[in-house]
Amino acid sequence: MSDGRIALVISDVDGTLVDRDKRLSSATVDAVRRLREAGAAFTLISARPPSGVLPLVTTLGIEGPVGAFNGGTIFTPDGGTVERHVVAAEVVRGMFELAAGRPVSVWLFSEGQWHADTLDNPHVAHERIAASQEPVVLSDMSALYDKTDKLTFVSDDAAMLGALVAEGQARFGQRATIARSQTYYGDITDLAANKGTGIEALAAAHGVTLAQVAVLGDMNNDLPMFDRAGFSIAMGQASPDVKARADAVSTSNDDDGVAHAIDTLILPRLGVPGRLRVQGGMI
C-alpha cells in the first residue's frame, strides 16, 4: 500500500463495476462523479472487448484511455487504438488442442468481432450484454488464429475448466496470459495483455505513477494489478485468496461495491470526508 495521494482509479468491470445482471447503478455513476470532482481520474480495465466497454465509458463520462481484453487493447473513448497485442497463433492452436474433447464452449474475439462455436450456452445471453454485440457462429476458427485478441473457454464445470487453465499455464505460461476472469470463463490473451501491464500503460497515459493508482477487482486475473498499484481494493464477494492480496475490501458488486469503496476508502485519502453508506443509500 502507498500513502501517496490517489490521482487515478482503475476499475475492473464484470464482478466489480456492474452487478450480476451487468447493470451499472446510479449510485456508482454518482460516486465516480464525486471522485472526479475531488480531483482524481477514473477509468476501466476489463476482459471485455472494446465494444462492451464503450457504453460504460459514455455513461461514466470517462475521457482518458481505457483497457480492454485485460489490457491487451488500450483505446480512447472516441474508439482510437493506443496499443493492441494479439495472442501468438501457436498458442491459440495449442489451446484448441488442449481443449479438444472437453465439454467447453469456445469464444474467439478478433478485430472487433465475437465468434462463438455455438449459441447453446447459458452464458451467451450475458455476453451479448457484456460485449454489446451479437456473436458470429463459426465452427472452424483456424483462419483467425493469427489475429486473436482473446480466446475464452466457457464452462460451468469449475474443476474441469480449472484443470484446462492450469494445463494451459504450464504449457504456454511463458508466451500468454492464461487466467479465469470468472469462475466459468478461462481467458487466453497475449503475455503483455494482463492487468498489471495494462494499468502501467493506463497510468503512463494519464501521466501518473503506479503509486498514485488505486484499483478495484474481484478475480484472479485482477491480481497482477493488485500487486502493482499503490492501493488495491477487492470486492466483498471475491475469494479469500483475492481478498488476501488486496489492501482493503469493499462490499460486493451487487451492493454497489465500487461506490462504497470510493465513498469510504478513496475519497478520505483525497481529503474528502468519508460518506457512511447504508442499504438503500447514504447518510
Side-chain angles (χ1 to χ4, degrees):
M1 180 191 292
S2 167
D3 292 326
R5 179 180 174 86
I6 294 170
L8 173 64
V9 177
I10 305 174
S11 177
D12 167 52
V13 173
D14 296 292
T16 302
L17 183 78
V18 298
D19 66 17
R20 72 181 68 189
D21 294 319
K22 311 298 184 183
R23 296 175 302 194
L24 177 64
S25 73
S26 59
T28 298
V29 175
D30 290 344
V32 170
R33 175 185 49 78
R34 288 191 291 275
L35 177 71
R36 190 177 295 114
E37 291 172 349
F42 182 88
T43 193
L44 305 173
I45 189 165
S46 174
R48 291 185 179 192
S51 62
V53 183
L54 273 171
L56 300 170
V57 169
T58 300
T59 301
L60 291 167
I62 294 172
E63 298 179 349
V66 183
F69 296 130
N70 291 325
T73 296
I74 305 296
F75 68 98
T76 55
D78 62 3
T81 300
V82 178
E83 294 182 14
R84 181 189 177 207
H85 304 275
V86 299
V87 190
E90 295 81 4
V91 173
V92 177
R93 183 176 297 106
M95 288 302 305
F96 269 95
E97 292 171 356
L98 284 178
R102 304 191 201 210
V104 294
S105 295
V106 182
W107 296 345
L108 190 151
F109 297 83
S110 176
E111 299 185 326
Q113 184 63 61
W114 166 30
H115 303 84
D117 63 342
T118 178
L119 298 182
D120 186 20
N121 183 286
H123 297 287
V124 166
H126 270 167
E127 188 63 18
R128 283 191 173 102
I129 300 171
S132 194
Q133 61 173 278
E134 286 292 314
V136 172
V137 178
L138 191 62
S139 58
D140 181 2
M141 301 183 187
S142 57
L144 303 174
Y145 286 1
D146 63 347
K147 40 186 172 284
T148 298
D149 292 293
K150 184 179 72 167
L151 177 64
T152 299
F153 293 105
V154 186
S155 176
D156 285 313
D157 186 336
M160 182 275 298
L161 186 63
L164 175 59
V165 168
E167 289 173 30
Q169 290 170 336
R171 184 171 173 184
F172 300 113
Q174 299 302 311
R175 303 188 62 192
T177 300
I178 303 173
R180 287 203 248 191
S181 58
Q182 297 293 328
T183 57
Y184 39 82
Y185 292 157
D187 290 345
I188 297 87
T189 51
D190 181 64
L191 192 62
N194 68 80
K195 291 188 179 180
T197 302
I199 68 164
E200 286 185 2
L202 291 172
H206 282 82
V208 304
T209 67
L210 285 173
Q212 296 173 295
V213 173
V215 296
L216 304 105
D218 71 306
M219 287 294 295
N220 286 350
N221 69 325
D222 296 315
L223 294 179
M225 69 177 182
F226 280 20
D227 292 341
R228 300 192 196 189
F231 187 43
S232 58
I233 303 168
M235 294 297 101
Q237 84 284 357
S239 71
D241 288 346
V242 171
K243 290 179 181 178
R245 295 273 287 275
D247 294 315
V249 177
S250 185
T251 53
S252 76
N253 66 313
D254 282 335
D255 192 28
D256 295 328
V258 169
H260 179 85
I262 289 172
D263 286 328
T264 66
L265 297 170
I266 296 175
L267 287 179
R269 293 172 68 87
L270 296 175
V272 178
R275 301 162 69 97
L276 177 62
R277 297 187 63 83
V278 297
Q279 188 171 10
M282 293 178 296
I283 58 175

